[in-house]
Amino acid sequence: MAQISRIGLLSRSIVNIRGRCRSTSAAAALKLVPGEYDGPSMKTEVPGPRSKELIQKYTNVTLNGYTVNFCVDSHSSLGNYVVDADGNRMLDAFCQISSLPLGYNHPDLLAIATDPNNANVLSARPSLAMFPNMDYPEKLEKLVKTMAPKGLKHMQTMMCGSCSNENAIKQAFIRYRHRERGGNPTEEDLSSAMRNQAPGSTNYTVLSFDGGFHGRTYACLSLTHSKPIHKVDIPAADFPCAPFPRLKYPLKEFETENRAEEDRCLVRIRELIDERKQAGGPVAAVIVEPIQAEGGDFHATPYFFRNLQQICKETGAAFIVDEVQTCCGATGHFWAHEAWDLPEAPDFVTFSKKLISGGYFFKEEFDPKFGARIFNTWMGDPPKLLMMEAVVDVIKRDGLLELTRESGAHLQTGLEDIQNKYPQHLHSARGAATFCAINTTDSAVLPKLQANMRNKGVLVGTCGTNTLRFRPALIFQPHHADIILDTLESAVKEL
Amino acid sequence: MAQISRIGLLSRSIVNIRGRCRSTSAAAALKLVPGEYDGPSMKTEVPGPRSKELIQKYTNVTLNGYTVNFCVDSHSSLGNYVVDADGNRMLDAFCQISSLPLGYNHPDLLAIATDPNNANVLSARPSLAMFPNMDYPEKLEKLVKTMAPKGLKHMQTMMCGSCSNENAIKQAFIRYRHRERGGNPTEEDLSSAMRNQAPGSTNYTVLSFDGGFHGRTYACLSLTHSKPIHKVDIPAADFPCAPFPRLKYPLKEFETENRAEEDRCLVRIRELIDERKQAGGPVAAVIVEPIQAEGGDFHATPYFFRNLQQICKETGAAFIVDEVQTCCGATGHFWAHEAWDLPEAPDFVTFSKKLISGGYFFKEEFDPKFGARIFNTWMGDPPKLLMMEAVVDVIKRDGLLELTRESGAHLQTGLEDIQNKYPQHLHSARGAATFCAINTTDSAVLPKLQANMRNKGVLVGTCGTNTLRFRPALIFQPHHADIILDTLESAVKEL
């Protein structure tokens, strides 16, 4: 998916020289979504009075209300711009927690939702593992060919990121036990499992990382170590947790220190796996994000991941790459792990968010070759797959990976310029394509900076304790980056 | 939702006397879905050659393939009839594992999927706990008013049944701990939870039942005790499991024995809760299905459930009723637990399947009153809510609860007639409205009977070890029951 496209070339010719075009006129730029607005337009602080009223209503009937930022006018939102209930129009660089691939109301997705041929798919929720529609096997076959990570040929669709991780882990447990036992479950395995007891219920564990986030169902939450409020008061499985590298940025300037930090973590990972094996709770899988996103946008280098895969191979643990947030292009590769140049594919690659459907790819050797071991009522959702298919097509047709690399380079250069101007406030600008972040020196400043940017018309996310994160859609162009950079600089000046 | 409707009256006038109308002509019956077929029509055995070919393709790329019965021609399927890839038309009394509320291609659901005003909802997957659409709070408010179980006013939408149960349980843990601690988490709670350690990670447990099914993510699977193949090789939380009554049918004939059996279970439940409290792993919640479905369609009486709720109140455990399979009318009540005449609402009622959206209702005292404790990227899916809203409206408009009670009574009477004629093969006919089951005397006969019925054009499910289960849609009428009964009798004769 790396071809240079028509639109990539066009947008480059408009933008000219990276990092030097903060005055690019949006009106003059080619719009990837026809009719997209020329810029933000603010009428009230956010949330405004209408949003506040709706949030109150919402809080009366559901937990969702507590965390709402503002309510969206989904008919008016378009492309990179979200319009709220008070008529405020913001450039959205957070995109529904990093989950909008093509922004708001993309014509190709609307076309699917208005095609009468799709009505029976859009209105039904079939049991894909018992009675799939007759066009589904071929649709899945085609999707696997189009989008599978190199070396993987099997996909299991799911509902969301958490159930993708839960089921990938289950498959890893099943495979580990089959290899250990040398065959199918015994009668004793089957009967003891019904009572949640050994040997049928295994003592296997999964290793995850400090600062990692893998979802919030029981197993996923036991693997999540990003914020205590996610976990407190809830029981957890006794799974081991290793340090994830805490590198210095820019990575190129600190290669020696960063290599030492990665080696320190790799040593500790091996130790933990050994300790657990000896304690009778072997590590059946290691799960890792390519960039720790919720935890604070922590990066590691390809060296770290290649060595991590090697440790998995040596110890028999499945190597699960959780690409729920990094999948689908925002890092400049369709799959973030493509940047690592691994000698072979990961054992599992899980996805969700921008791909609209949840799911995972897996190596054939992890296929239990037996029905109903990985199973639930729906096993995915065909309407989401229709959307996923279109997203993948649009990325190719419009050269969005190239655009994302270009817009990302522009955004990163701009972030570096700003942190060099305001080192008392900002540091550690970093990113892979548009999957960017920058830290505030004072964590108390973070929410103020975010709110100030929002009131000026730019929506960005936060993560960790002091990190501003940028998660624009794949239709984000250099002139949008200029708006972010101007707004960030203006907000920093007011600190 | 109990009003006598126009259509209910009409269908009754056609059917005349329950249990005596096996010759009712489908052509003469009022069709709830315009154009519905007059009966099954079979061209091949099922799966036929085209389905087999597609299943092979499917198995090459996904685990789903292992359990597929046949592939569906979703354009030709209509109402109670599913048409497969080989042109076989079957009366569907299993309905995508009990998850189709209104059969195939119901005009009211198609209307939603073809309304251009819905295109932006159908094509998007917003973050409902951060940036919901501005019409969503009022939509949710209205839905809660329309469909909430009596005494409950708060709803949390989710993606599926498993994540509904996972999150209801989390809310129960949070509440139990807040009460125990008398306030918010301490610094020590927060920091230890990040390491999966006490006191932040609690030792709380959830009590479930032998034969119960609550889903297949980690916590849910630890509470599931229906079939070993779901559980074997996978680690499980050390949660207690109590006996669920094993009653004799018809319930009215065995009241004394059944009461003794329910008392035996109630005593054991109390013992288990006491044991766990003393062992330092208190039971923070009890989760139970109104009818144990996957486990074998085991019923209990209102006496059992009222006492179970009482035990929960006395011990401080949350009373969670898992209505994933029983919700939305098939038992003759919109919520199956309405039949119990409880003195107050359950603490949680979880749902999914026929309601199309997953989710749960909960008592206000279980609201953590704090954001991000129950949270994930999407927190439900608005397109599913559009469908849920329509399903609830159609049930009311068309009097489908009344119809379901009527069709169910007809089906149950017929099942009893058949088991009385063939006691060597069938026994224990039972049900609540159309949520019916019958047992085979020999478990080896079960798959043959099911396959034989399917080849004759009637699709039914199985559960437990020797149970045929009927899970038709809510548009299932008495003349459809006749087709099932004739087919069952014909298949039994061939045993």
Side-chain angles (χ1 to χ4, degrees), chain B residues 70-288:
Chain B
F70 55 81
C71 295
V72 172
D73 174 353
S74 69
H75 286 283
S76 303
S77 300
L78 186 66
N80 290 278
Y81 291 91
V82 62
V83 178
D84 77 6
D86 293 278
N88 298 300
R89 186 167 75 221
M90 291 160 268
L91 176 65
D92 191 352
F94 192 37
C95 284
Q96 306 282 336
I97 321 182
S98 193
S99 74
L100 289 186
L102 305 176
Y104 294 89
N105 288 314
H106 191 280
D108 286 80
L109 300 190
L110 289 178
I112 288 169
T114 49
D115 181 346
N117 275 325
N118 291 331
N120 72 344
V121 176
L122 294 170
S123 62
R125 214 169 170 179
S127 172
L128 294 172
M130 290 193 86
F131 313 101
N133 193 34
M134 57 199 274
D135 69 356
Y136 202 78
E138 280 165 3
K139 188 179 282 292
L140 213 59
E141 196 179 38
K142 185 191 145 212
L143 262 169
V144 170
K145 274 194 190 131
T146 316
M147 61 178 272
K150 194 178 154 196
L152 298 180
K153 284 181 260 174
H154 292 78
M155 174 161 79
Q156 185 58 54
T157 52
M158 284 284 158
M159 244 66 76
C160 67
S162 287
C163 67
S164 302
N165 284 334
E166 289 266 348
N167 282 285
I169 291 164
K170 280 170 62 170
Q171 238 173 283
F173 289 139
I174 291 169
R175 146 87 172 178
Y176 195 96
R177 182 73 179 126
H178 273 246
R179 209 169 35 182
E180 190 183 60
R181 184 177 46 216
N184 288 323
T186 63
E187 278 308 311
E188 191 195 357
D189 291 332
L190 294 171
S191 59
S192 55
M194 283 290 270
R195 301 186 305 272
N196 290 2
Q197 287 170 6
S201 299
T202 55
N203 290 319
Y204 298 156
T205 60
V206 181
L207 183 138
S208 66
F209 293 91
D210 262 343
F213 183 93
H214 302 286
R216 297 180 61 169
T217 47
Y218 192 108
C220 292
L221 188 60
S222 300
L223 298 166
T224 285
H225 303 276
S226 51
K227 293 198 180 79
I229 202 67
H230 301 163
K231 293 171 70 75
V232 69
D233 298 343
I234 297 163
D238 178 26
F239 290 162
C241 177
F244 189 85
R246 292 295 177 254
L247 305 186
K248 291 186 180 167
Y249 308 95
L251 296 177
K252 281 214 181 293
E253 273 181 35
F254 297 96
E255 280 186 353
T256 314
E257 294 95 320
N258 287 343
R259 176 62 58 95
E261 168 65 359
E262 292 190 329
D263 282 336
R264 178 187 75 86
C265 295
L266 290 165
V267 166
R268 185 62 191 136
I269 292 161
R270 271 190 197 275
E271 281 172 3
L272 277 167
I273 294 175
D274 287 349
E275 285 167 18
R276 289 299 179 125
K277 188 163 192 181
Q278 287 181 6
V283 173
V286 170
I287 187 165
V288 70

Side-chain angles (χ1 to χ4, degrees), chain A residues 86-108:
Chain A
D86 292 278
N88 299 299
R89 186 168 77 221
M90 290 160 269
L91 175 66
D92 190 351
F94 192 36
C95 282
Q96 305 282 336
I97 320 185
S98 193
S99 74
L100 289 186
L102 304 176
Y104 295 89
N105 288 313
H106 192 279
D108 286 81

Side-chain angles (χ1 to χ4, degrees), chain A residues 58 61 67 72 74 96 120 125 127-129 132-134 155 166 170 196 200 216 218 231 233 356 372 381, chain B residues 58 67 72 74 96 120 125 127-129 132-134 155 166 170 196 200 216 218 231 233 356 372 384:
Chain A
Y58 206 36
V61 292
T67 38
V72 172
S74 69
Q96 305 282 336
N120 73 343
R125 213 169 171 178
S127 171
L128 294 172
N133 193 33
M134 58 199 274
M155 175 161 81
E166 290 266 349
K170 280 171 62 171
N196 291 3
R216 298 181 60 169
Y218 192 107
K231 294 171 70 77
D233 299 343
I356 304 183
D381 192 25
Chain B
Y58 207 35
T67 38
V72 172
S74 69
Q96 306 282 336
N120 72 344
R125 214 169 170 179
S127 172
L128 294 172
N133 193 34
M134 57 199 274
M155 174 161 79
E166 289 266 348
K170 280 170 62 170
N196 290 2
R216 297 180 61 169
Y218 192 108
K231 293 171 70 75
D233 298 343
I356 304 183
K384 306 308 182 205

